[in-house]
């Protein structure tokens, strides 16, 4: 056929469907995007004294960056603002430290729930693997690690009529999590793609401090997110 004899037919196909294609051939392909991910998050603890009391809704808003080193592989990064949290209660009475206008130590009775609302600044570092373009779009998986720092920590304690108090003394500022995400990119006009996916994130280190006579425990925060985004 005519296309079979055309030496530029494969190049035209790559230009239309392969993000690795570059006219100059010297610079790697780079893509960027924005996303807003609704999520639910919760805690798990390794101690009998500290228990999970349910999940809370949240969100993850950020900018993504991908630098390709092969047609279907790229390094992924970006910056995220994550609003997450969870609910905990203790089997025994415990002390809890707040910091509003001054530091205040309160007593929380057995079984009384504490709702944490935590905001993180996160810089994910990962590896993205994707399929070639199909009629349904591009399927991908992204896995990596997320250094993160808490920029705001609040607590609600309904039994004491406390809402939105500063709980930073009860939280560890730095953490590291791993993330797993899978989804699909569907092409729009030009080089833009709509992204949809589902992800899981798990803190590797203790989220809460063990102050004073509080029970020793390791509280890990986990989240399940639903990616909605666009690349450009």
């Amino acid at each position: 056929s005519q296309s079979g004899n055309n030496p530029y037919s494969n190049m035209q196909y790559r230009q239309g469907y392969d993000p690795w294609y570059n006219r100059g051939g010297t610079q790697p392909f780079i893509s960027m995007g924005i996303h807003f991910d609704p999520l639910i998050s919760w805690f798990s603890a390794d101690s009998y004294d500290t228990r999970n009391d349910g999940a809370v809704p949240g969100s993850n808003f950020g900018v993504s960056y991908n630098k390709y080193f092969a047609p279907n592989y790229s390094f992924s990064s970006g910056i995220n603002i994550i609003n997450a949290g969870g609910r905990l209660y203790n089997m025994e009475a415990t002390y809890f430290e707040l910091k509003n206008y001054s530091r205040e130590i309160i007593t929380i009775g057995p079984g009384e729930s504490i709702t944490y609302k935590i905001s993180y600044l996160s810089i994910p570092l990962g590896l993205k693997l994707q399929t070639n373009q199909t009629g349904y779009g591009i399927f991908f998986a992204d896995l990596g690690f997320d250094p993160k720092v808490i920029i705001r920590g609040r607590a609600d304690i309904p039994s004491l009529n406390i809402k939105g108090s500063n709980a930073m003394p009860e939280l560890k500022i730095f953490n590291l999590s791993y993330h797993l995400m899978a989804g699909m990119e569907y092409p729009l006009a030009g080089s833009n793609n709509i992204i949809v996916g589902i992800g899981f994130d798990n803190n590797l280190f203790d989220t809460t401090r063990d102050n004073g006579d509080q029970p020793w425990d390791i509280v890990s925060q986990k989240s399940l997110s639903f990616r909605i985004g666009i690349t450009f």
Side-chain angles (χ1 to χ4, degrees):
S1 64
Q2 183 176 358
S3 62
N5 297 326
N6 185 351
Y8 297 102
S9 61
N10 290 337
M11 182 180 296
Q12 292 169 351
Y13 178 85
R14 288 176 61 83
Q15 184 175 2
Y17 293 97
D18 190 347
W20 176 252
Y21 177 77
N22 188 327
R23 285 184 182 273
T26 57
Q27 297 294 328
F29 179 82
I30 293 174
S31 72
M32 297 187 68
I34 58 174
H35 61 85
F36 178 79
D37 306 347
L39 61 83
I40 55 173
S41 57
W42 65 96
F43 292 123
S44 65
D46 66 346
S47 170
Y48 171 83
D49 294 318
T50 305
R51 304 290 184 89
N52 171 49
D53 197 35
V56 299
S59 64
N60 176 3
F61 174 77
V63 177
S64 61
Y65 169 89
N66 289 89
K67 183 174 182 179
Y68 287 81
F69 59 89
N72 300 105
Y73 303 91
S74 67
F75 296 114
S76 61
S77 188
I79 186 167
N80 295 324
I81 299 294
I82 304 170
N83 295 302
R87 294 187 176 93
L88 292 174
Y89 71 91
N90 287 281
M91 299 297 291
E92 299 179 358
T94 186
Y95 298 109
F96 193 86
E97 186 172 347
L98 300 173
K99 183 182 179 183
N100 295 311
Y101 297 106
S102 61
R103 289 182 180 268
E104 179 183 3
I105 298 178
I106 60 175
T107 302
I108 301 176
E112 295 179 357
S113 179
I114 305 169
T115 300
Y116 292 85
K117 299 176 181 178
I118 306 172
S119 297
Y120 294 97
L121 176 66
S122 170
I123 300 178
L125 303 170
L127 179 67
K128 181 181 177 183
L129 300 80
Q130 66 184 51
T131 66
N132 293 323
Q133 179 88 26
T134 70
Y136 298 99
I138 297 172
F139 296 93
F140 71 88
D142 190 300
L143 63 161
F145 295 95
D146 299 52
K148 57 179 63 173
V149 58
I150 293 179
I151 55 178
R152 189 169 185 251
R154 301 287 177 177
D156 296 344
I157 308 173
S159 62
L160 300 178
N161 295 318
I162 293 174
K163 186 174 180 63
S165 286
N166 188 336
M168 291 296 285
E170 292 289 337
L171 298 168
K172 293 189 174 181
I173 302 298
F174 299 101
N175 216 306
L176 176 71
S177 66
Y178 69 83
H179 71 261
L180 303 169
M181 176 165 285
M184 183 185 75
E185 298 182 10
Y186 189 80
L188 298 175
S191 60
N192 296 335
N193 291 343
I194 287 180
I195 307 172
V196 293
I198 185 169
F200 176 76
D201 183 277
N202 184 25
N203 281 2
L204 295 175
F205 303 126
D206 197 356
T207 305
T208 61
R209 297 179 185 270
D210 301 323
N211 296 323
D213 295 330
Q214 292 176 346
W216 186 90
D217 55 34
I218 297 177
V219 175
S220 176
Q221 186 176 46
K222 310 175 191 296
S223 67
L224 184 68
S225 61
F226 304 90
R227 173 63 48 96
I228 304 171
I230 185 170
T231 64
F232 49 86

